Amino acid sequence: QLPMLATAVATWLQPSYLGDVLKRMSRAFEEAQRNAPSILFIDECDAIGSRQDNARDHADYWNTVIARLLELLDGAARTSGVIIVGATNRPEFIDKALMRSGRLEKHVVIPKPDVDALCGILAHHVGSDLASVLETAPQAWTSQGEAEVNR
């Protein structure tokens, strides 16, 4: 029953100018606070990267972006009614400070789906069109996959 505001790191980074990137990040958190209680869903958190050695090219840019996200997460933790949820396929690329207590502290690992789960996902999305999808599939896949889907 809560509004969910969805954003993605790629959306924040789209303008490329540092000031505009920081404004987009801030706006997402401000909107979540205005709509509290709410959920702010941040997709592809790994795209934010991790802090760089200052000797690397563009390190000041990335370090500033991450520092701002840390500030926003800290502010959200102090705001009643805002839940931050982040998603990634590559958690090893997220700066460790973002994963600490009070920020993105609770981690849920969802394993890749097995064959049964993939069949269920496919059946859910194509619904009653499953038979026609199988009919138009390449013959090599149909002979292997049809038995799996029919399970």
Side-chain angles (χ1 to χ4, degrees):
Q1 301 293 327
L2 296 179
M4 183 171 88
L5 310 163
T7 187
V9 172
T11 301
W12 296 345
L13 298 176
Q14 221 169 17
S16 80
Y17 293 106
L18 183 58
D20 293 334
V21 170
L22 299 178
K23 283 178 190 173
R24 280 187 174 211
M25 292 169 62
S26 297
R27 267 186 259 152
F29 281 80
E30 289 166 5
E31 186 177 353
Q33 290 171 351
R34 272 194 313 275
N35 289 288
S38 65
I39 298 169
L40 176 60
F41 177 75
I42 305 169
D43 200 10
E44 303 301 340
C45 288
D46 58 279
I48 205 79
S50 60
R51 286 173 284 191
Q52 305 283 320
D53 178 336
N54 283 332
R56 292 192 62 192
D57 289 342
H58 312 294
D60 54 342
Y61 180 95
W62 292 109
N63 292 344
T64 301
V65 170
I66 292 167
R68 182 63 183 142
L69 182 55
L70 290 169
E71 289 174 356
L72 291 167
L73 288 170
D74 288 344
R78 291 188 299 271
T79 302
S80 179
V82 176
I83 299 168
I84 309 295
V85 177
T88 181
N89 293 324
R90 306 176 326 154
E92 65 276 9
F93 290 102
I94 298 175
D95 191 277
K96 300 300 180 218
L98 294 170
M99 307 287 276
R100 290 194 191 123
S101 179
R103 294 170 177 160
L104 299 174
E105 66 183 89
K106 295 185 181 176
H107 310 137
V108 177
V109 176
I110 301 172
K112 291 182 181 181
D114 60 14
V115 172
D116 289 335
L118 286 171
C119 291
I121 292 167
L122 178 64
H124 171 78
H125 287 285
V126 298
S128 61
D129 292 334
L130 183 57
S132 63
V133 169
L134 290 174
E135 287 173 11
T136 60
Q139 190 59 37
W141 183 87
T142 305
S143 62
Q144 293 174 341
E146 191 169 5
E148 295 294 332
V149 172
N150 287 333
R151 280 200 282 160

